[in-house]
DNA sequence: TTTTTTGTTTAGATTGGCTCTAAGATAATA
DNA sequence: TATTATCTTAGAGCCAATCTAAACAAAAAA
């Protein structure tokens, strides 16, 4: 990670510890939507004394700064998306991989609902089978 | 619950016990998207010996028959939707209530993605503030 | 550079939602 | 009514996530 980026995070009020650096490096450009455990497993190689609490603390801090998003797409497990810009997801029902979809679908609710709800964001979750799993079919 | 409905469930292969009847009656027409705990709390009044396992067993059985849907909208907690027809949801970020939205948005993915994904369903989650919570603002 | 302050990391305990188990109970059926 | 296939139950167990308090380390101040 570059010095500038570290400085950038620091200015956001994040104390930059080696553990946090390792987590940030793992998340940077990562499109696998990892769980806390995925992150822990990766970082514990570098920091064997690493605690799960540190992973959760860091993720919570990043979430508060709007740098990552927490996804509730898998029941009973949080997953994290290091891309904070609005986008959608496709979830493969076979392999459970989560793919990003960067289309702007311009969804607007009809008038009646617009009175009832002040909408701040909208996420679409597509479900089905991905090309990889299609290929493996009989 | 009517005799016909009970017969209908029976024909689907569901053994109709008093506990299941109580759960089904609670779910019928319920738009609050209750959690397992919500259901348990309601039904334990009628069946004090009720076990959480029974709630989960019943919900699992209903899910398999396609009679309800399991929602992953709240991290760390399953919620259930007794309306199995495809529809969307609005979640209020203040009160966390979940509202149904029965609009057909006709969303189609561009060609490149259609090659990559076989889409079976698509759910939209709107987030924001509901009218109730807006009204309570200062 | 040294000191102080403030926030972070850690191990381990704890919580909360959910699942499993094995025994007893009961709805469906013949 | 007798049979059997399934359901219910209490309690144990599992796993993700959170909490705690002491040790520690980064950043700010001196």
């Amino acid at each position: 990670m570059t010095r500038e980026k570290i400085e950038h995070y620091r200015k956001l009020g994040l104390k930059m510890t080696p553990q946090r650096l390792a987590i940030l490096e793992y998340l940077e450009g990562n499109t696998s939507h990892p769980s806390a455990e995925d992150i822990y497993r990766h970082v514990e190689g570098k920091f064997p004394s690493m605690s799960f609490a540190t992973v959760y603390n860091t993720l919570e801090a990043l979430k508060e700064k709007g740098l990552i998003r927490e996804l509730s797409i898998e029941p009973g497990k949080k997953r994290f998306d290091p891309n904070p810009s609005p986008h959608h997801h496709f979830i493969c029902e076979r392999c459970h991989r989560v793919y990003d979809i960067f289309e702007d679908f311009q969804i607007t609710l009809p008038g009646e609902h617009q009175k009832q709800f002040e909408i701040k964001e909208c996420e679409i979750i597509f479900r089905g089978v991905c090309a990889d799993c299609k290929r493996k079919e009989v």
Side-chain angles (χ1 to χ4, degrees), chain A residues 25-44:
Chain A
E25 270 166 13
Y26 176 64
L27 289 178
E28 197 170 302
N30 187 320
T31 60
S32 72
H33 308 79
S35 65
E37 167 138 21
D38 295 332
I39 297 166
Y40 176 79
R41 292 281 166 248
H42 185 266
V43 180
E44 75 173 335

Side-chain angles (χ1 to χ4, degrees), chain A residues 105-135:
Chain A
F105 292 99
Q106 298 283 6
I107 291 162
T108 44
L109 277 179
E112 23 153 356
H113 278 127
Q114 283 191 29
K115 268 173 233 154
Q116 196 186 354
F117 305 127
E118 181 195 326
I119 289 166
K120 297 198 173 165
E121 55 182 64
C122 123
E123 189 201 351
I124 307 177
I125 295 170
F126 297 92
R127 290 172 204 276
V129 185
C130 73
D132 245 41
C133 289
K134 275 302 244 184
R135 213 170 294 128

Side-chain angles (χ1 to χ4, degrees), chain A residues 91-97 128-130 133-134 137:
Chain A
I91 304 171
C92 177
E93 66 188 21
R94 302 250 174 93
C95 65
H96 301 104
R97 260 178 290 191
V129 185
C130 73
C133 289
K134 275 302 244 184
E137 273 177 12

Side-chain angles (χ1 to χ4, degrees), chain A residues 85-89 99-107 122-124 126:
Chain A
S85 69
H87 61 277
H88 308 289
H89 293 107
Y99 298 83
D100 290 317
I101 292 182
F102 296 97
E103 292 292 326
D104 183 358
F105 292 99
Q106 298 283 6
I107 291 162
C122 123
E123 189 201 351
I124 307 177
F126 297 92

Side-chain angles (χ1 to χ4, degrees), chain A residues 49-68:
Chain A
S49 73
M50 186 78 156
S51 157
F52 254 102
T54 299
V55 175
Y56 284 108
N57 284 345
T58 302
L59 290 169
E60 185 59 31
L62 295 175
K63 198 176 77 177
E64 269 171 20
K65 303 293 176 193
L67 298 170
I68 65 172

